[in-house]
Amino acid sequence: MAWYSEGPLTRLAGVAGRTLDDVMRVRRGWKWNAPRPRTWPEQGMVVPAPPSDLGWARVEPVRSIRYLIQRLLLMPFTEAMVHPKVEGREWVRELKRPAIFAANHSSHADTSLILYSLTDAVRDRTVVAAAADYWFKHPILGNIVSLFLNTFPFSRTGGAQGQLHSSSQLLKSGWNLVLFPEGSRSPDGRIQEFKPGVGFLAKETGTPVVPLHIQGAFQVMPRHQNLPVPGPVRIGKPMTLDANEGTREFTARVEKAVRALASEPKQPDLQGTWIERWRASKPRQLKYGD
């Protein structure tokens, strides 16, 4: 009887212990009161988030609850249903500063695939811009999505300046931002023209943009399809504005990068050489200001 109870209990205790260690490791990796690295943009004024901005989803204990939900439910479900292949994860493993993740958008599975492509530490400090007129029409749905994915409402129909300001404040506060520059899901799987907001945010905050492409995104989970099918995620090197480059020109360059990631399996200019990718995968040492 002792042999029968000890085995399962020991395994259960081991799983619980490893899960607790994972939670504590990520929690220690994000210190609100720690010095800010010099490479981060200047921190914006600290003002209370408006109720509609769902600031509650970005504080404890909600963040720890979401971490458990994603690690125990969302990530295993994504792996089991889609079996995604991630290329270029080293570019987001050791980010030197907050970044904008700009990806094509053809399916409801896009967000979970992008989050799956990130490391635990990066995912823990990443927010997702979600269509206010779609996900937040019903408060209950909006709150559930925010709990699971750390979303905030992003208007597609008006009030662009206010939405861009909210995004800017999040970036300046140290959050990464998942943004779909097309504005809405592609109706046929082809990449649509990118809206200039991503270029504006990059210039306003000095934030690098990481281009991502979900290969076969439309086939992963297109409109009116309830079950996802496989599709890999391809990540490119972080991009920054050139000295004399305008926001629209930069947005066009990001769009071109996402399209290029879709067209060719190997893009050294966008994905980096093996030496660059090896260097990007090395642990970094933060340099803090005085």
Side-chain angles (χ1 to χ4, degrees), residues 245-267:
E245 190 174 23
T247 57
R248 291 185 179 274
E249 289 78 9
F250 180 68
T251 297
R253 187 154 63 91
V254 173
E255 178 183 340
K256 183 179 179 181
V258 175
R259 292 181 183 274
L261 289 173
S263 61
E264 296 291 339
K266 298 296 182 181
Q267 292 281 346

Side-chain angles (χ1 to χ4, degrees), residues 266-278:
K266 298 296 182 181
Q267 292 281 346
D269 291 341
L270 297 176
Q271 295 177 285
T273 63
W274 71 269
I275 295 179
E276 290 176 315
R277 297 175 70 170
W278 173 73

Side-chain angles (χ1 to χ4, degrees), residues 103-134:
N104 60 312
H105 193 25
S106 296
S107 119
H108 281 322
D110 290 339
T111 299
S112 60
L113 284 168
I114 292 172
L115 294 178
Y116 178 90
S117 304
L118 306 176
T119 61
D120 288 343
V122 175
R123 187 188 311 117
D124 183 61
R125 55 186 176 91
T126 296
V127 295
V128 180
D133 60 313
Y134 185 92

Side-chain angles (χ1 to χ4, degrees), residues 2 34 42 152 198 222:
E42 182 181 354
F152 78 101
V198 62

Side-chain angles (χ1 to χ4, degrees), residues 36 40-44 97-101 127 164-178 198 201-202 205-208:
R36 295 171 60 81
W40 283 22
E42 182 181 354
Q43 187 171 18
R97 60 188 301 170
I100 299 171
F101 304 122
V127 295
L164 292 174
H165 176 72
S166 298
S167 303
S168 174
Q169 293 302 307
L170 287 169
L171 290 167
K172 290 180 179 180
S173 297
W175 292 94
N176 304 307
L177 175 64
V178 173
V198 62
L201 285 173
T205 62
T207 303

Side-chain angles (χ1 to χ4, degrees), residues 45-60:
M45 294 180 60
V46 179
V47 295
S52 59
D53 198 32
L54 299 173
W56 61 266
R58 299 188 291 274
V59 298
E60 293 290 8

